[in-house]
Structure formats: structure tokens, C-alpha cells
Amino acid sequence: MSAEAADREAATSSRPCTPPQTCWFEFLLEESLLEKHLRKPCPDPAPVQLIVQFLEQASKPSVNEQNQVQPPPDNKRNRILKLLALKVAAHLKWDLDILEKSLSVPVLNMLLNELLCISKVPPGTKHVDMDLATLPPTTAMAILLYNRWAIRTIVQSSFPVKQAKPGPPQLSVMNQMQQEKELTENILKVLKEQASDSILVLEAALTLNKDLYVHTMRTLDLLAMEPGVVNGETESSPAGLKIKTEEMQCQVCYDLGTAYFQQGSANSAIYEKAREKFFRTKELISEIGSLSLHCTIDEKRLAGYCQACNVLVPSSDSTSQQLTPYSQVHICLRSGNYQEVIKIFIEDNLTFSLPVQFRQSVLRELFQKAQQGSEALDEICFKVCACNTVRDILEGRTISVQFNQLFLTPNKEKIDFLLEVCSRSINLEKASDSLKGNMAAFLKNVCLGLEDLQYVFMISSHELFITLLKDEEQKLLIDQMRKRCPRVNLCIKPVTSFYDIPASASVNIGQLEHQLILSVDPWRIRQILIELHGMTSERQFWTVSNKWEVPSVYSGVILGIKDSLTRDLVYILMAKGLHCSTVKDFSHAKQLFAACLELVTEFSPKLRQVMLNEMLLLDIHTHEAGTGQSGERPPSDLISRVRGYLEMRLPDIPLRQVIAEECVAFLLNWRENEYLTLQVPAFLLQSNPYVKLGQLLAATCKELPGPKESRRTAKDLWEVVVQICSVSSQHKRGSDGRVSLIKQRESTLGIMYRSELLSFIKKLREPLVLTIILSLFVKLHNVREDIVNDITAEHISIWPSSIPNLQSVDFEAVAITVKELVRYALAINPGNHSWLLIQADSYFAANQYSAALHYYLQAGAVCSDFFNKTVPPDVYTDQVSCFCGLASFLSIFKCCSSWAPFLGEFIHFHVCHGNSQMGCSGPDCFPYFQCLEIIAA
């Protein structure tokens, strides 16, 4: 063996071996392995990775013998895995800072829900309804942990997040990321709906005067062995990790402060609450000391919050002399005293007391106000930008892109102000040579950038310019300007191509990305992207903001564009357009879509059709939210475009389902029944379920005046909806030989799922169509064999009276659908007596008599001009009249018992004689007799 080979072998053999990583299932096999693993200095896998692995394995769905996906089974293996995850979190002392940093929102939500479960918090119980003072300490602490996390997650979600640079696109990874993103958004939606309850829970915790305990690995082991032991132990003696009252209140005060501070943007009065909580947190930290193990608060961040609160909510005893520059600027912005802001900024150019980031944020706020239509702010924006630019050059930073843009069209007023700012921003007697050099270089560069010699001479003749530049430098500069050939003024040159805009290499990439996120001007977006791509070719700028979302059916086509600049531009224009459409900013959405259409027309017929489809959807939304609200019919060309979209048969064009839904709903809302019933192509009825449903609804509406025998379409519509509301049943023989029934909640045999049908119906506004749908579902609800009280509805006689296989219909889902539909219909038109009666009958059938009476009276009031006229007999039937009369007058009787002798005659007159159809028989009639029996009882 050669000497070189021997040395290589010796080096290889002496290299320490990396121990193999412990697998998750090994912790199931050896009970003591977890504690040994966590005691290691650098355990591999890390504790947070173990939590993810344990919960991931415990939540895996199972597959039965018929290859059907089932929920995760509640067996011993899964319970142990969840317990192991809780023990790892207990090892980390339930530190939310560590858990939030390393675990995703879905994983941490699952972990804390398991903590609530094991801490004996009843499932489904609202935390705000529970008295923390009477709960065992571990249970109360579990509730506090969950609600603290909920508030912190809501606050954290409001901060902008810069996505990590993605690797090569992989379909499986993108699908997984999309699923996790949707799950996170669903959890956030629930947390935000419960935010007010979480705040009340945390406020209640501040009134507790006892120490709390949080589960440790020992208490969790005790729970696993004997479920009742820990709670019993905590009530009588310490169990778990002790959390002092002051530590708990300090952490809760800080979390409440951040929540109130976030809400203050919508209601400035809430900033006072935030200020109170933050200053109470500072007091508690001074009491506890900085060595607390269980109270981890970023004191620098807390100081920043306190400073911000002092600006937003100044103390009542503060005077103008005591106000900080922050407070002065904020007060000036709120009062609109922008000249004072400029004065403060010029003075700050001498002291450098305000951070540059704060000054830039003030400029951004003014830019946003100017973009919203305040033209008077354009001059203010330039002046503030000039102040910031002078501050930048004095500290050696580059000139911002905003200043270059605002100075594209110089004039005498701008140059006069710029020279004034420069003069007042430097003390020539005390300034260092570097400050003087920076100012001189700035004035020289401004002169070199000017085209008009008149403006050059204004600067060169100024006292500051003469003082800072030597005579030789001045003469050389002026000679250069005189000899320079005249050039085209770029500020008035028409931009013939989006790609002709010059890039500015001196602009910071982060600044441009920030502008890219804020801008909704397509021309400005193009310019920024051109500049960014001129600086670096390695970035994918469509990933700058995680709020830019494009439907998955489009993203594959867009991300397949080879040219990176075009790819970024198309993706961002579409994402911003879709966002503007979602928030009903239709004017900006139209500009963005038009620019995107112009761009893709040059190279992609497929994307061109995609943009035409999205612009059609945008025009539908624009009309529905605008003139359509007042009942004005849409223009004929819009109706033609809707028909053209439904009849389109272009291959390989990615289509969004929501556009087909909106198109069919649009035709139904504007009563285009002739087209849907007679002119719609046959292939559409087979390929598009929404067209099929729309055709059946339109035909049913047309056939209503005809005889019952001709209502064939109503039966077809009935069969389609019954199929959608059906469940598929399967039988399975168990190991003991018995046959069990398995129900799958939604059948795949219908033309769509029930949730899709409900989503489609909630796009409809036409009263007759909504009445037909409600009538159908009410009839389907009444078909049940166990129904006691039928619900009434208009046109209920057109539907079949029975179903061949009652067991196949999910009547529970039908009842829920009826409630949702009538709630939606009444939101569209609260004065429709037919819909009010359906709502009343629904409550009556559910034995909710108070709510039923409320809606019966509403229906009567609507039909009788608030009971100034007789209620029509088809509204108040015998049963309804008797129910309303008894309910109303018995309420009066409870208040005025001395009227008992006259109550029977009173009800007899007002209820029976008020309705001539009841066939009143005097003292023997139902309400009179029944009421007297109740009074006697």
C-alpha cells in the first residue's frame, strides 16, 4: 500500500462516526427512552421535531378494506403518541416563544387542543363561560395557554412575512404547501371569530389571586396511569410546574397589550387599553426581576410598544415642551399640519434624532393619502422626500428612487425649497469635513442631472454652493454644463414600450420590493420589475409577498413562461388584480387585468383567453355591486359575453369553476330563462353541472303558471336535488359475523356536492328562483316519516309527494340547508312574508316557540301594514292564528293578572273575529276554550 493510501485510510478510520438518528417509533417501544433522549445536550431529532413527528403519526388517516379513507382511529398507539408530544412540550416548559418559532399553526393548534383535552376541559364548552377561579390550576393554565396562543397568532398573522426563496417547483411539495396554507387560513378564521372571547378569558385571568400549575412530564405520566389523580392532586397539593401569579399576569398583560395595539388601527380609542397593559407589564417585570424562568418578554420590543403608545395616546399631563419628536410628528399628521412636519424634519437633519425608518414611514403614509386623491399632498410629498434625501446624503446613503421620480420635472419652486433644506440642514461652522463633502457632492450631482441651464445657474449662484465648492470646481462644472450637447428630456418622452424604462442601479433592492408590494399601478409595477431584474437575475420576484395568490389552474401555465421578467410581471399583475377584485376595488383591478391582457396577447393565446375570462368575471362583479343593486339591467354585450363563455369549447384552456357558477347565477338573476331553457347548447347540459341546474331552475320558473300535469321539469329538478342530498350506504361484515352499516355523508352520484350547491344558491338574488329552491327543500324536509309539524312554503304542490328510498336521503343535511337558505334569503329581502313564514315554521317545528312567534308576527306585520289591515288568511292560518293569539295574550296575562276574567273574551274577539276564515263558534271555539283552561290551571 502506498504512503498516500495509508494516510487516507488512517484519516478515514480516525473520523468520528455520527450516531444514527432515533426514529419516532422507538419511543413507543421503550418508555424511558424519551427522557433519556431529551436530557442529551443536542438531541437528534430536536424536541420540536419530535412533536411534529408524534402528532403527524397520530393524525394519519386509516384506510378500510374497501379502500375508503377513515379518520385516525382512537386507539392506544395514537393516544400514546399524543401523550409523548405533550411530554416534549412539557420538557420545553410550554414556552410559546419556542413552540411558535418552530411549529406551524396547524401543529400547535393540535398540540394545545390535546392539552385542553387531557386537562379535563369539556369539549365544545366556550372558555369564556368557565370560571377560572373554580377550576383546578392545571386546567385553568391550559385554558390560558390556548387563549394566549390564539391572541398571539392573530397578532402575528397581521405582520407581513417575506417568503423564503423557493427551490425548483415540485408538484407534490406545492400541493402540500397549499394544503397547509388552506388549513392555516381556516384555523386563523376561527381564531379571529373567537378573538373577543379569548380577550375576555385573559382579562378574567388578571383578576386571579392564586398561583397556577402547568403540566410536567411527571403529571402527564400520572394522567396516563390514572386519569383522575392529577386534578385531585392539584386541588389539594402542588402538582406540576408552579407559575406565580405575578409571572402569569405579566405575560397575559403583554399579550393583551399586543392584541389591543393591533386593534387600535381600526379604533384609536383602544390604544389607551394597550398603553395601560404595556405599562402594567413594565411594573410587573420590575417586581418579578429579569431572572424569571416562566416570564419571557422581549423588553426591547416592550419598550418600543410603550414608546409607540406614548405617541398615539399622549399622557394628559404632557405639554408641548415635553412631547418627543415622535409625538409631535404624529399629532401634526392627525391634525393635517404638514408644514410643521417639514419643519421638524429639517431640524432633525441637524440632530439625527429620528430614525430613518420612521421618517420613511411618514413619507409612505403621505404617498398613500396622495394616491387616494388628495392632490394637495403632492407638494408636501416632494418636500418631505427632499428632507429625507438630504438626511440620507449627509449620512452617506444613496439617493432614494422616490426623489428621482419627484424631481423628474424640476421647477423653480422645487429647487428653491431644496436649496433651503440644504442650507438649514448643515451648520458650516461645526460640520465635519465628511458632511461638507457629502453635501457638496450632492449639489454637484443635482446640477449634472439638470437639463435646463437656468436651474443650474440657480444652484451654482447659491451661497451654500459657493461656500462648499472651490472656485476651480465651480468653473469646471459650469463649463461642462455649457459645452454639453442638448439631450432629450426623458420626463416628457412618451413611453412607447414597457421595456424602454431605464433602470436605476443605485436603488436598494429592499426598497424596490416594498414599492412593488404597495403599488397597484401596472406601469409602475413594470418599471420596478425592470429595475429589480437589472440588479439581480437570481431572484423570483413573484415570491416577494405571500399575499400574492393565483389559482392553481393558472399558476402552472404562468410559471411555465421561460422569460423570468415576463413570468414575474404576468404573475404579479394577475395576483394584484384578483386581490383588488376580492376587496371590491374594481377600477384598479380593471387596470391591472387590462395591462396583463395586453402583455400576454403578444405570446400566449392560452393566457389571453384566461385574462378575457377573468375580465368577464370582473365585469359581472362590477355590475352586481354597482348599477345592478338598483335593478338596472346589464348591458346586452355583457349578457352576450356570458353566453359566449358558457358555450366556449376551446381545448387546453384552464378554467375556474367559480366563473361558470357566476355566469349561470348572473343569467338566473336577470331572468334570462329563454336562453337557459331553449337556446343553451346540448353539450353544456352534459358537461357543466351548473348549466344543467340553471336550466332546470329556469324551466321550473317558466312552467309555474301552467297546470300541474305539465310540470315535468319540476320533477326533474326534484330528482337532481334529491340525488345531491343522498348518502351512499355500504354494509360491512365484522369479525363476529354481524353486518354493520357504514354511511358516507355525501354521495358521488349527484351532479355536484351539497356544499357546492349551497355555494351556488348563495350567488342568486332573483326572488322567484329563491322561492322555488326554498319550496323544494321545504318539501324534501316534510317528506320525512318522523316529521310532526310541516313547514309551509309557496308552490309546494308542484313537487312529488314521496321518495322511493327514504333511507338514502340525508335529512339532517336537508334541515341544515333549509335553515341556511332561509337565513340567506331573508338577508336579501327581509320583507318577504313567504320566507318569514318558512323561518317561523322551522322554529315552530323545532319547539322554539319564542323565535317562531317573532317571525309569525313579522310576517303578519309585513302583509297588513303593521296590522292596520286584516292579515290575509293564507298568511295566518288557523294554527298560526291560535298560536300567535295564545302566545301573545298569555304574555300579557303574566304581567296583568287582574285582567283574567276578560282575557277569554279579548282573545276570542281579536283572534277569531280578526280572521273570518276560522269559522268561529263563539265560546266553544279553540282559542277561547283553550285559553280559559290555561287560566284556570
Side-chain angles (χ1 to χ4, degrees):
M1 181 184 297
S2 66
E4 184 180 352
D7 291 343
R8 187 163 56 249
E9 183 178 351
T12 305
S13 61
S14 62
R15 188 181 298 138
C17 296
T18 303
Q21 188 183 67
T22 309
C23 294
W24 63 270
F25 58 82
E26 295 182 51
F27 297 98
L28 291 173
L29 303 176
E30 185 179 346
E31 186 176 350
S32 60
L33 179 60
L34 182 62
E35 293 190 35
K36 295 177 184 176
H37 179 80
L38 295 175
R39 280 198 294 266
K40 294 178 182 178
C42 297
D44 186 21
V48 288
Q49 291 176 325
L50 281 177
I51 293 176
V52 174
Q53 292 178 13
F54 290 148
L55 292 180
E56 187 180 65
Q57 295 298 326
S59 60
K60 274 190 174 180
S62 60
V63 179
N64 60 14
E65 296 175 359
Q66 285 77 27
N67 286 329
Q68 293 176 323
V69 178
Q70 302 291 325
D74 184 20
N75 52 28
K76 183 178 180 182
R77 167 190 174 276
N78 287 347
R79 286 195 294 270
I80 294 175
L81 285 170
K82 294 175 183 177
L83 181 66
L84 289 173
L86 292 172
K87 290 174 72 174
V88 176
H91 168 76
L92 298 174
K93 296 183 173 58
W94 300 99
D95 190 332
L96 287 179
D97 289 332
I98 297 175
L99 296 174
E100 289 171 341
K101 183 178 179 181
S102 307
L103 299 179
S104 64
V105 171
V107 172
L108 193 46
N109 179 60
M110 188 186 305
L111 178 71
L112 293 177
N113 274 293
E114 289 301 325
L115 175 64
L116 292 174
C117 182
I118 206 168
S119 300
K120 303 296 184 296
V121 177
T125 304
K126 286 189 174 183
H127 296 172
V128 72
D129 296 334
M130 304 179 74
D131 185 3
L132 297 178
T134 61
L135 295 174
T138 51
T139 305
M141 194 63 199
I143 292 175
L144 282 187
L145 266 174
Y146 178 85
N147 287 280
R148 277 187 56 216
W149 167 76
I151 290 300
R152 290 161 65 108
T153 303
I154 293 170
V155 172
Q156 191 64 32
S157 69
S158 66
F159 298 151
V161 179
K162 186 174 181 179
Q163 286 185 329
K165 182 178 179 181
Q170 298 178 5
L171 187 59
S172 58
V173 175
M174 291 178 68
N175 288 339
Q176 185 177 357
M177 291 173 62
Q178 182 65 24
Q179 290 175 3
E180 183 172 335
K181 183 178 180 181
E182 291 175 356
L183 186 56
T184 301
E185 289 176 350
N186 291 335
I187 293 172
L188 275 173
K189 182 180 178 182
V190 174
L191 294 180
K192 288 176 181 177
E193 290 173 353
Q194 300 172 352
S196 57
D197 287 352
S198 294
I199 289 175
L200 290 175
V201 170
L202 297 183
E203 288 283 8
L206 296 178
T207 63
L208 294 178
N209 56 4
K210 66 176 183 178
D211 296 336
L212 298 180
Y213 293 85
V214 68
H215 282 302
T216 61
M217 297 179 75
R218 185 182 74 86
T219 59
L220 290 169
D221 280 333
L222 289 174
L223 276 177
M225 291 186 294
E226 189 176 349
V229 68
V230 176
N231 275 334
E233 191 179 46
T234 53
E235 290 173 2
S236 57
S237 62
L241 184 64
K242 182 178 179 180
I243 309 294
K244 293 182 179 179
T245 307
E246 295 80 7
E247 293 176 325
M248 178 271 291
Q249 290 183 349
C250 183
Q251 200 76 59
V252 169
C253 272
Y254 179 76
D255 292 336
L256 280 172
T258 60
Y260 288 140
F261 192 87
Q262 184 219 12
Q263 295 175 355
S265 59
N267 184 359
S268 57
I270 301 181
Y271 282 128
E272 182 64 45
K273 292 185 179 180
R275 185 179 187 278
E276 176 190 339
K277 299 302 179 189
F278 285 133
F279 279 88
R280 177 57 181 159
T281 304
K282 290 182 69 174
E283 294 174 5
L284 289 169
I285 287 177
S286 62
E287 294 176 13
I288 298 168
S290 57
L291 300 178
S292 172
L293 296 177
H294 312 305
C295 183
T296 56
I297 291 175
D298 186 345
E299 294 191 37
K300 289 184 179 179
R301 195 172 184 86
L302 173 62
Y305 273 123
C306 291
Q307 190 175 34
C309 288
N310 277 333
V311 172
L312 298 168
V313 190
S315 301
S316 56
D317 59 346
S318 62
T319 63
S320 59
Q321 288 78 18
Q322 295 173 326
L323 289 175
T324 64
Y326 288 101
S327 301
Q328 293 176 20
V329 171
H330 188 75
I331 291 172
C332 292
L333 289 174
R334 283 193 297 183
S335 62
N337 188 0
Y338 300 120
Q339 296 298 333
E340 186 66 23
V341 174
I342 295 169
K343 179 182 176 183
I344 294 170
F345 276 20
I346 293 175
E347 293 173 355
D348 182 66
N349 285 348
L350 289 169
T351 60
F352 295 175
S353 60
L354 290 173
V356 176
Q357 293 81 2
F358 173 73
R359 295 174 60 131
Q360 290 173 347
S361 69
V362 172
L363 180 59
R364 282 196 298 271
E365 183 177 340
L366 293 173
F367 269 131
Q368 290 173 0
K369 288 183 178 179
Q371 288 176 354
Q372 292 170 359
S374 301
E375 295 181 0
L377 287 179
D378 290 342
E379 181 184 354
I380 299 296
C381 287
F382 169 75
K383 291 183 176 181
V384 173
C385 185
C387 295
N388 287 352
T389 300
V390 173
R391 167 73 180 271
D392 288 338
I393 61 103
L394 288 173
E395 293 186 317
R397 287 186 293 274
T398 57
I399 299 174
S400 67
V401 67
Q402 291 101 330
F403 180 78
N404 287 330
Q405 288 178 327
L406 295 173
F407 208 62
L408 278 174
T409 55
N411 54 39
K412 182 179 181 299
E413 289 75 18
K414 288 183 178 180
I415 292 176
D416 281 339
F417 179 78
L418 184 62
L419 290 171
E420 179 189 354
V421 174
C422 291
S423 301
R424 294 172 58 185
S425 298
I426 187 169
N427 188 335
L428 294 175
E429 296 179 359
K430 300 179 180 179
S432 63
D433 291 339
S434 63
L435 286 179
K436 292 178 181 178
N438 290 340
M439 182 66 78
F442 172 66
L443 292 174
K444 185 177 178 179
N445 288 332
V446 171
C447 288
L448 290 171
L450 291 171
E451 300 291 338
D452 194 332
L453 291 178
Q454 177 185 355
Y455 298 148
V456 175
F457 292 136
M458 282 179 63
I459 297 175
S460 62
S461 61
H462 194 272
E463 181 183 356
L464 180 64
F465 182 90
I466 296 171
T467 305
L468 291 176
L469 273 78
K470 297 177 182 179
D471 292 341
E472 294 79 7
E473 293 176 325
Q474 296 177 31
K475 290 179 181 178
L476 182 62
L477 175 63
I478 294 173
D479 288 340
Q480 287 177 348
M481 297 299 298
R482 283 173 174 167
K483 293 176 182 178
R484 189 174 60 185
C485 297
R487 296 183 298 178
V488 178
N489 191 345
L490 293 179
C491 66
I492 59 171
K493 179 185 176 181
V495 181
T496 56
S497 170
F498 291 130
Y499 296 96
D500 288 340
I501 302 173
S504 173
S506 63
V507 182
N508 182 278
I509 291 180
Q511 288 179 322
L512 288 175
E513 288 181 345
H514 183 75
Q515 294 175 41
L516 186 64
I517 292 172
L518 294 179
S519 180
V520 289
D521 180 5
W523 293 85
R524 180 70 188 127
I525 292 169
R526 290 170 186 262
Q527 181 182 4
I528 295 171
L529 281 174
I530 293 166
E531 295 189 35
L532 286 171
H533 277 269
M535 296 176 186
T536 175
S537 59
E538 300 175 357
R539 292 285 305 279
Q540 295 180 344
F541 292 102
W542 62 270
T543 63
V544 165
S545 172
N546 63 350
K547 303 295 184 183
W548 292 341
E549 295 180 352
V550 167
S552 56
V553 293
Y554 297 163
S555 58
V557 182
I558 296 174
L559 298 181
I561 299 173
K562 294 181 179 180
D563 180 70
S564 58
L565 173 58
T566 306
R567 179 172 61 244
D568 287 342
L569 190 52
V570 173
Y571 190 99
I572 293 171
L573 288 175
M574 179 177 284
K576 283 178 173 285
L578 290 171
H579 172 73
C580 288
S581 178
T582 302
V583 299
K584 300 187 185 307
D585 184 4
F586 298 124
S587 60
H588 281 124
K590 194 161 189 175
Q591 293 175 14
L592 291 159
F593 281 165
C596 191
L597 175 63
E598 180 183 351
L599 180 62
V600 299
T601 300
E602 300 174 1
F603 65 91
S604 176
K606 184 182 297 186
L607 284 175
R608 178 183 179 276
Q609 187 59 52
V610 165
M611 291 313 305
L612 289 173
N613 295 344
E614 289 297 330
M615 292 185 78
L616 169 62
L617 181 60
L618 176 64
D619 288 343
I620 291 174
H621 287 162
T622 304
H623 181 268
E624 295 296 310
T627 56
Q629 295 281 358
S630 59
E632 181 179 336
R633 282 189 61 80
S636 57
D637 67 309
L638 180 56
I639 296 175
S640 300
R641 288 166 58 201
V642 169
R643 295 179 180 180
Y645 174 83
L646 293 175
E647 297 172 12
M648 182 176 59
R649 300 186 69 176
L650 295 176
D652 301 326
I653 299 296
L655 301 174
R656 280 210 296 160
Q657 175 179 294
V658 67
I659 303 181
E661 286 185 56
E662 291 285 356
C663 285
V664 176
F666 179 85
L667 293 175
L668 285 171
N669 285 333
W670 296 105
R671 297 175 292 279
E672 292 293 320
N673 295 337
E674 289 293 327
Y675 172 80
L676 287 171
T677 54
L678 302 176
Q679 301 174 29
V680 67
F683 76 90
L684 274 180
L685 299 176
Q686 304 299 325
S687 60
N688 194 320
Y690 295 99
V691 174
K692 175 67 174 176
L693 184 62
Q695 189 255 355
L696 291 173
L697 282 168
T700 304
C701 291
K702 282 184 63 179
E703 290 177 358
L704 273 183
K708 184 176 180 180
E709 294 75 22
S710 66
R711 295 169 188 165
R712 176 65 190 172
T713 319
K715 184 180 179 183
D716 295 340
L717 177 60
W718 168 270
E719 291 172 355
V720 166
V721 173
V722 168
Q723 192 67 59
I724 293 173
C725 296
S726 296
V727 290
S728 58
S729 302
Q730 293 180 340
H731 295 81
K732 177 183 177 182
R733 187 176 298 277
S735 57
D736 55 355
R738 290 185 297 180
V739 176
S740 59
L741 178 66
I742 303 173
K743 273 194 174 182
Q744 183 181 348
R745 298 308 295 170
E746 289 203 45
S747 171
T748 57
L749 300 178
I751 62 174
M752 63 182 69
Y753 289 111
R754 187 180 65 89
S755 58
E756 294 174 334
L757 173 62
L758 194 58
S759 173
F760 172 73
I761 294 172
K762 288 185 177 181
K763 292 179 171 62
L764 301 174
R765 293 182 295 100
E766 164 59 25
L768 182 57
V769 177
L770 286 174
T771 299
I772 290 296
I773 295 170
L774 277 170
S775 172
L776 191 155
F777 274 96
V778 165
K779 181 65 176 182
L780 192 55
H781 173 272
N782 293 343
V783 168
R784 295 174 60 174
E785 294 177 341
D786 57 342
I787 199 74
V788 177
N789 295 301
D790 283 350
I791 301 176
T792 58
E794 288 183 290
H795 313 300
I796 204 164
S797 62
I798 68 174
W799 312 112
S801 57
S802 62
I803 299 175
N805 186 7
L806 282 175
Q807 290 75 20
S808 66
V809 178
D810 187 353
F811 285 105
E812 181 182 348
V814 171
I816 293 172
T817 304
V818 170
K819 292 179 181 178
E820 288 193 42
L821 290 183
V822 73
R823 190 182 302 119
Y824 167 74
L826 288 175
I828 297 293
N829 181 9
N832 188 304
H833 73 274
S834 172
W835 300 345
L836 288 168
L837 285 176
I838 294 175
Q839 183 75 297
D841 286 349
S842 300
Y843 281 123
F844 188 86
N847 298 328
Q848 298 182 31
Y849 300 120
S850 176
L853 176 63
H854 172 79
Y855 283 99
Y856 280 135
L857 292 176
Q858 274 198 36
V862 166
C863 295
S864 62
D865 190 20
F866 293 93
F867 299 106
N868 287 317
K869 302 174 184 177
T870 304
V871 180
D874 59 335
V875 176
Y876 276 3
T877 59
D878 296 5
Q879 180 184 2
V880 173
S881 297
C882 293
F883 169 73
C884 291
L886 286 174
S888 303
F889 292 116
L890 285 177
S891 299
I892 296 172
F893 172 71
K894 289 179 182 179
C895 302
C896 309
S897 57
S898 60
W899 291 4
F902 312 101
L903 187 57
E905 290 293 336
F906 192 68
I907 295 173
H908 169 239
F909 178 82
H910 278 280
V911 177
C912 298
H913 287 287
N915 191 341
S916 59
Q917 300 297 318
M918 289 185 61
C920 171
S921 56
D924 295 329
C925 78
F926 168 77
Y928 182 94
F929 179 73
Q930 184 74 13
C931 192
L932 289 181
E933 280 192 343
I934 295 173
I935 293 170

